[in-house]
Amino acid sequence: NAGVTQTPKFQVLKTGQSMTLQCAQDMNHEYMSWYRQDPGMGLRLIHYSVGAGITDQGEVPNGYNVSRSTTEDFPLRLLSAAPSQTSVYFCASRNPGAGWHSPLHFGNGTRLTVT
Amino acid sequence: AQSVTQLDSQVPVFEEAPVELRCNYSSSVSVYLFWYVQYPNQGLQLLLKYLSGSTLVKGINGFEAEFNKSQTSFHLRKPSVHISDTAEYFCAVTGGLGGAQKLVFGQGTRLTINP
């Protein structure tokens, strides 16, 4: 199993550009989420989804859009990138059927720089 | 709403010395508590978790943590560290109505092992 796969690993954008960060998992997990990691701030939840067609906002959703058309994929869209969105982004999934205490499985991250 | 505070942003220790990484949480309901570890340029992986029962939980790589409800703490310990333990460690909490869908992380503690 590949687990959680994120692409690209690195990306540089100019202010105002748009892009989509891809996330795919092959574990049939219903729950998927996006976090951003910034120095001294830990990981903060951007958006999450409890199943195909269902998404909800996390702690820092502004400037990001998500959709969940399949169980496997959960892309994160930046419509108009801003320097404040420079960060490392992590996608994570888990199987809520194993209980809400089941561990998150993380991808290896996407390092995004907005100039 | 839950919150997590990791009291030390950096902890330097010598190899084979004991270490304690401190974590305090805030929640008005029963919670599940976790420690995750992030090795350089990787995603996070679960170290251990507390759900209920015995307040001392053991995890991978010789780590253990003790849940203290009266002090709302969940400190991580290892009696003898190795160079390979150099990583960033995150305490996290989830639980409660609706809160089970959101894992809240602390700011992280960077553990550096010196030879």
Side-chain angles (χ1 to χ4, degrees):
Chain A
N1 284 342
V4 179
T5 302
Q6 290 184 238
T7 56
K9 291 185 178 180
F10 301 94
Q11 183 71 50
V12 179
L13 292 178
K14 295 186 186 299
T15 297
Q17 287 184 316
S18 63
M19 80 158 296
T20 299
L21 280 64
Q22 301 292 345
C23 175
Q25 52 91 9
D26 61 358
M27 298 172 284
N28 202 33
H29 287 172
E30 292 291 331
Y31 179 92
M32 296 185 73
S33 56
W34 278 101
Y35 285 86
R36 60 177 289 173
Q37 183 179 21
D38 302 291
M41 304 191 74
L43 280 80
R44 292 179 291 168
L45 182 64
I46 303 172
H47 286 285
Y48 65 96
S49 168
V50 298
I54 306 170
T55 63
D56 205 348
Q57 296 181 349
E59 182 184 357
V60 288
N62 292 340
Y64 307 95
N65 282 349
V66 292
S67 60
R68 184 93 179 272
S69 57
T70 67
T71 299
E72 294 79 19
D73 300 297
F74 190 44
L76 179 72
R77 297 183 187 85
L78 285 71
L79 297 179
S80 179
S84 61
Q85 294 178 305
T86 294
S87 187
V88 181
Y89 292 85
F90 287 99
C91 179
S93 71
R94 68 179 171 194
N95 176 16
W100 284 109
H101 49 74
S102 59
L104 282 172
H105 296 257
F106 282 84
N108 284 333
T110 294
R111 187 175 295 275
L112 175 67
T113 302
V114 182
T115 61
Chain B
Q2 295 99 7
S3 67
V4 177
T5 301
Q6 292 182 242
L7 299 166
D8 305 293
S9 59
Q10 297 187 59
V11 174
V13 296
F14 288 105
E15 194 172 17
E16 299 184 5
V19 69
E20 178 181 81
L21 306 184
R22 298 180 293 167
C23 172
N24 285 91
Y25 69 93
S26 172
S27 176
S28 59
V29 297
S30 296
V31 296
Y32 302 129
L33 291 157
F34 305 80
W35 276 98
Y36 282 81
V37 59
Q38 183 182 31
Y39 298 106
N41 300 314
Q42 295 185 25
L44 282 71
Q45 55 184 280
L46 182 68
L47 204 55
L48 50 79
K49 62 183 178 182
Y50 172 79
L51 306 180
S52 63
S54 173
T55 57
L56 184 64
V57 292
K58 295 187 183 298
I60 62 173
N61 301 337
F63 284 92
E64 62 182 31
E66 185 158 18
F67 170 65
N68 188 319
K69 187 174 182 179
S70 62
Q71 297 190 7
T72 60
S73 67
F74 190 54
H75 300 334
L76 180 70
R77 302 185 183 100
K78 187 170 182 178
S80 177
V81 296
H82 302 285
I83 293 287
S84 59
D85 292 323
T86 295
E88 190 153 19
Y89 293 79
F90 293 92
C91 183
V93 62
T94 189
L97 289 175
Q101 299 177 10
K102 301 178 183 180
L103 189 63
V104 178
F105 287 88
Q107 301 90 332
T109 297
R110 187 170 298 277
L111 177 63
T112 303
I113 313 299
N114 298 306

